[in-house]
Short mmCIF file of all heavy atoms in Angstrom, two decimals:
data_model
loop_
_atom_site.label_atom_id
_atom_site.label_comp_id
_atom_site.label_asym_id
_atom_site.label_seq_id
_atom_site.Cartn_x
_atom_site.Cartn_y
_atom_site.Cartn_z
N SER X 367 -116.89 145.92 106.83
CA SER X 367 -117.33 146.20 105.47
C SER X 367 -118.53 147.16 105.47
O SER X 367 -118.64 148.05 104.62
CB SER X 367 -117.65 144.88 104.76
OG SER X 367 -118.76 145.02 103.93
N GLN X 368 -119.40 147.00 106.45
CA GLN X 368 -120.57 147.90 106.51
C GLN X 368 -120.17 149.33 106.87
O GLN X 368 -120.74 150.29 106.37
CB GLN X 368 -121.60 147.36 107.52
CG GLN X 368 -122.19 146.03 107.06
CD GLN X 368 -123.54 145.75 107.70
OE1 GLN X 368 -124.34 146.64 107.92
NE2 GLN X 368 -123.80 144.48 108.01
N MET X 369 -119.15 149.47 107.73
CA MET X 369 -118.69 150.83 108.06
C MET X 369 -118.09 151.50 106.83
O MET X 369 -118.24 152.71 106.62
CB MET X 369 -117.67 150.80 109.21
CG MET X 369 -118.23 150.34 110.55
SD MET X 369 -119.74 151.20 111.05
CE MET X 369 -119.08 152.71 111.71
N LYS X 370 -117.45 150.70 105.98
CA LYS X 370 -116.92 151.24 104.73
C LYS X 370 -118.04 151.72 103.83
O LYS X 370 -117.95 152.78 103.20
CB LYS X 370 -116.11 150.15 104.00
CG LYS X 370 -114.63 150.24 104.23
CD LYS X 370 -113.90 149.37 103.21
CE LYS X 370 -112.59 148.88 103.80
NZ LYS X 370 -112.15 147.62 103.19
N GLN X 371 -119.09 150.92 103.78
CA GLN X 371 -120.24 151.32 102.95
C GLN X 371 -120.86 152.61 103.47
O GLN X 371 -121.28 153.47 102.70
CB GLN X 371 -121.30 150.22 102.93
CG GLN X 371 -120.87 148.94 102.25
CD GLN X 371 -121.97 147.87 102.34
OE1 GLN X 371 -123.12 148.15 102.05
NE2 GLN X 371 -121.60 146.68 102.79
N ALA X 372 -120.91 152.74 104.79
CA ALA X 372 -121.48 153.95 105.39
C ALA X 372 -120.67 155.18 104.98
O ALA X 372 -121.22 156.24 104.68
CB ALA X 372 -121.51 153.81 106.91
N ASP X 373 -119.35 155.00 104.93
CA ASP X 373 -118.46 156.09 104.48
C ASP X 373 -118.74 156.45 103.03
O ASP X 373 -118.77 157.60 102.64
CB ASP X 373 -116.99 155.64 104.57
CG ASP X 373 -116.40 156.05 105.90
OD1 ASP X 373 -117.00 156.92 106.57
OD2 ASP X 373 -115.35 155.49 106.26
N ARG X 374 -118.92 155.40 102.22
CA ARG X 374 -119.10 155.62 100.80
C ARG X 374 -120.38 156.40 100.50
O ARG X 374 -120.42 157.19 99.57
CB ARG X 374 -119.13 154.27 100.07
CG ARG X 374 -118.35 154.29 98.78
CD ARG X 374 -118.22 152.90 98.18
NE ARG X 374 -117.35 152.04 98.97
CZ ARG X 374 -117.55 150.72 99.11
NH1 ARG X 374 -118.59 150.13 98.56
NH2 ARG X 374 -116.71 150.01 99.83
N VAL X 375 -121.43 156.18 101.28
CA VAL X 375 -122.66 156.96 101.05
C VAL X 375 -122.65 158.24 101.89
O VAL X 375 -123.65 158.96 101.95
CB VAL X 375 -123.95 156.15 101.31
CG1 VAL X 375 -124.07 155.00 100.32
CG2 VAL X 375 -124.02 155.64 102.75
N ASN X 376 -121.50 158.49 102.55
CA ASN X 376 -121.34 159.76 103.24
C ASN X 376 -122.38 159.94 104.35
O ASN X 376 -122.92 161.03 104.54
CB ASN X 376 -121.47 160.87 102.18
CG ASN X 376 -120.69 162.10 102.54
OD1 ASN X 376 -119.94 162.09 103.53
ND2 ASN X 376 -120.87 163.16 101.77
N ALA X 377 -122.66 158.85 105.05
CA ALA X 377 -123.74 158.89 106.07
C ALA X 377 -123.33 159.75 107.26
O ALA X 377 -122.19 159.71 107.70
CB ALA X 377 -124.04 157.47 106.54
N ARG X 378 -124.27 160.53 107.76
CA ARG X 378 -124.00 161.37 108.93
C ARG X 378 -123.96 160.54 110.21
O ARG X 378 -123.19 160.80 111.11
CB ARG X 378 -125.09 162.45 109.06
CG ARG X 378 -124.72 163.76 108.41
CD ARG X 378 -125.91 164.71 108.41
NE ARG X 378 -126.45 164.93 109.73
CZ ARG X 378 -127.75 165.04 110.00
NH1 ARG X 378 -128.65 164.92 109.05
NH2 ARG X 378 -128.18 165.27 111.23
N TYR X 379 -124.83 159.55 110.26
CA TYR X 379 -124.92 158.68 111.44
C TYR X 379 -124.89 157.21 111.03
O TYR X 379 -125.35 156.87 109.93
CB TYR X 379 -126.25 158.90 112.18
CG TYR X 379 -126.37 160.23 112.86
CD1 TYR X 379 -126.97 161.32 112.20
CD2 TYR X 379 -125.91 160.42 114.17
CE1 TYR X 379 -127.09 162.54 112.83
CE2 TYR X 379 -126.03 161.64 114.80
CZ TYR X 379 -126.62 162.70 114.13
OH TYR X 379 -126.75 163.91 114.75
N VAL X 380 -124.40 156.37 111.94
CA VAL X 380 -124.53 154.92 111.74
C VAL X 380 -125.22 154.35 112.98
O VAL X 380 -124.85 154.68 114.11
CB VAL X 380 -123.16 154.25 111.53
CG1 VAL X 380 -123.33 152.73 111.44
CG2 VAL X 380 -122.49 154.78 110.27
N LEU X 381 -126.22 153.51 112.74
CA LEU X 381 -126.88 152.81 113.85
C LEU X 381 -126.38 151.37 113.82
O LEU X 381 -126.60 150.65 112.84
CB LEU X 381 -128.40 152.85 113.67
CG LEU X 381 -129.21 152.23 114.82
CD1 LEU X 381 -129.12 153.11 116.08
CD2 LEU X 381 -130.66 152.01 114.42
N ILE X 382 -125.69 150.97 114.90
CA ILE X 382 -125.12 149.62 114.91
C ILE X 382 -126.04 148.68 115.69
O ILE X 382 -126.37 148.93 116.86
CB ILE X 382 -123.71 149.64 115.54
CG1 ILE X 382 -122.82 150.60 114.72
CG2 ILE X 382 -123.10 148.24 115.55
CD1 ILE X 382 -121.54 150.98 115.42
N MET X 383 -126.51 147.64 115.01
CA MET X 383 -127.37 146.64 115.64
C MET X 383 -126.68 145.28 115.53
O MET X 383 -126.93 144.53 114.59
CB MET X 383 -128.74 146.59 114.94
CG MET X 383 -129.55 147.87 115.11
SD MET X 383 -131.02 147.96 114.03
CE MET X 383 -132.06 146.71 114.75
N GLY X 384 -125.79 144.99 116.51
CA GLY X 384 -125.09 143.70 116.50
C GLY X 384 -125.89 142.67 117.28
O GLY X 384 -126.91 143.00 117.88
N GLU X 385 -125.37 141.44 117.32
CA GLU X 385 -126.08 140.38 118.05
C GLU X 385 -126.13 140.73 119.54
O GLU X 385 -127.17 140.58 120.18
CB GLU X 385 -125.35 139.04 117.86
CG GLU X 385 -125.00 138.78 116.40
CD GLU X 385 -125.54 137.44 115.91
OE1 GLU X 385 -125.82 136.58 116.75
OE2 GLU X 385 -125.69 137.28 114.69
N GLU X 386 -124.98 141.22 120.05
CA GLU X 386 -124.92 141.59 121.47
C GLU X 386 -125.92 142.68 121.80
O GLU X 386 -126.64 142.60 122.78
CB GLU X 386 -123.53 142.16 121.80
CG GLU X 386 -122.57 141.20 122.45
CD GLU X 386 -121.19 141.83 122.52
OE1 GLU X 386 -121.07 142.94 123.08
OE2 GLU X 386 -120.24 141.22 121.97
N GLU X 387 -125.91 143.70 120.97
CA GLU X 387 -126.82 144.83 121.20
C GLU X 387 -128.26 144.35 121.19
O GLU X 387 -129.07 144.77 122.01
CB GLU X 387 -126.64 145.90 120.11
CG GLU X 387 -125.40 146.78 120.29
CD GLU X 387 -124.17 146.18 119.62
OE1 GLU X 387 -124.29 145.07 119.07
OE2 GLU X 387 -123.11 146.82 119.66
N LEU X 388 -128.56 143.46 120.26
CA LEU X 388 -129.93 142.98 120.13
C LEU X 388 -130.33 142.21 121.40
O LEU X 388 -131.44 142.36 121.91
CB LEU X 388 -130.06 142.09 118.90
CG LEU X 388 -131.46 142.08 118.30
CD1 LEU X 388 -131.84 143.45 117.76
CD2 LEU X 388 -131.57 141.02 117.19
N ALA X 389 -129.38 141.40 121.92
CA ALA X 389 -129.65 140.62 123.13
C ALA X 389 -129.97 141.57 124.28
O ALA X 389 -130.84 141.30 125.11
CB ALA X 389 -128.46 139.74 123.47
N ALA X 390 -129.28 142.71 124.34
CA ALA X 390 -129.51 143.69 125.41
C ALA X 390 -130.63 144.65 125.04
O ALA X 390 -130.89 145.61 125.76
CB ALA X 390 -128.23 144.46 125.68
N ASN X 391 -131.26 144.42 123.87
CA ASN X 391 -132.33 145.30 123.39
C ASN X 391 -131.89 146.76 123.22
O ASN X 391 -132.64 147.68 123.50
CB ASN X 391 -133.55 145.22 124.33
CG ASN X 391 -134.74 144.61 123.59
OD1 ASN X 391 -134.80 144.65 122.35
ND2 ASN X 391 -135.66 144.04 124.33
N GLU X 392 -130.65 146.96 122.80
CA GLU X 392 -130.15 148.31 122.60
C GLU X 392 -129.31 148.39 121.33
O GLU X 392 -128.63 147.42 120.99
CB GLU X 392 -129.24 148.70 123.78
CG GLU X 392 -130.03 149.05 125.01
CD GLU X 392 -129.30 150.03 125.90
OE1 GLU X 392 -128.05 150.05 125.86
OE2 GLU X 392 -129.99 150.76 126.62
N ALA X 393 -129.39 149.51 120.67
CA ALA X 393 -128.51 149.71 119.52
C ALA X 393 -127.63 150.92 119.81
O ALA X 393 -127.95 151.73 120.68
CB ALA X 393 -129.33 149.95 118.26
N VAL X 394 -126.51 151.04 119.07
CA VAL X 394 -125.60 152.16 119.30
C VAL X 394 -125.67 153.12 118.11
O VAL X 394 -125.56 152.69 116.96
CB VAL X 394 -124.14 151.64 119.45
CG1 VAL X 394 -123.16 152.81 119.51
CG2 VAL X 394 -124.03 150.76 120.68
N LEU X 395 -125.88 154.40 118.41
CA LEU X 395 -125.93 155.40 117.35
C LEU X 395 -124.63 156.20 117.36
O LEU X 395 -124.27 156.78 118.37
CB LEU X 395 -127.13 156.35 117.56
CG LEU X 395 -127.31 157.40 116.47
CD1 LEU X 395 -127.72 156.76 115.15
CD2 LEU X 395 -128.35 158.44 116.90
N ARG X 396 -123.94 156.20 116.23
CA ARG X 396 -122.66 156.92 116.17
C ARG X 396 -122.75 158.11 115.21
O ARG X 396 -123.20 157.97 114.07
CB ARG X 396 -121.55 155.98 115.72
CG ARG X 396 -120.21 156.71 115.65
CD ARG X 396 -119.15 155.91 114.95
NE ARG X 396 -118.86 154.68 115.67
CZ ARG X 396 -117.71 154.02 115.55
NH1 ARG X 396 -116.75 154.49 114.78
NH2 ARG X 396 -117.52 152.89 116.18
N ASP X 397 -122.34 159.27 115.72
CA ASP X 397 -122.24 160.47 114.89
C ASP X 397 -120.90 160.38 114.15
O ASP X 397 -119.85 160.40 114.79
CB ASP X 397 -122.30 161.71 115.78
CG ASP X 397 -122.21 163.01 114.97
OD1 ASP X 397 -121.51 163.02 113.94
OD2 ASP X 397 -122.84 163.99 115.39
N MET X 398 -120.94 160.27 112.83
CA MET X 398 -119.72 159.98 112.08
C MET X 398 -118.74 161.14 112.07
O MET X 398 -117.54 160.94 111.88
CB MET X 398 -120.04 159.57 110.65
CG MET X 398 -120.83 158.28 110.56
SD MET X 398 -119.94 156.88 111.30
CE MET X 398 -118.90 156.42 109.91
#
Side-chain angles (χ1 to χ4, degrees):
S367 142
Q368 295 202 36
M369 294 309 280
K370 262 194 209 154
Q371 294 177 49
D373 267 343
R374 222 172 291 145
V375 296
N376 209 6
R378 265 172 56 218
Y379 291 93
V380 176
L381 184 70
I382 301 165
M383 294 169 69
E385 313 235 339
E386 260 172 55
E387 283 89 357
L388 208 65
N391 245 337
E392 283 208 334
V394 173
L395 183 68
R396 180 191 297 203
D397 181 326
M398 296 300 277

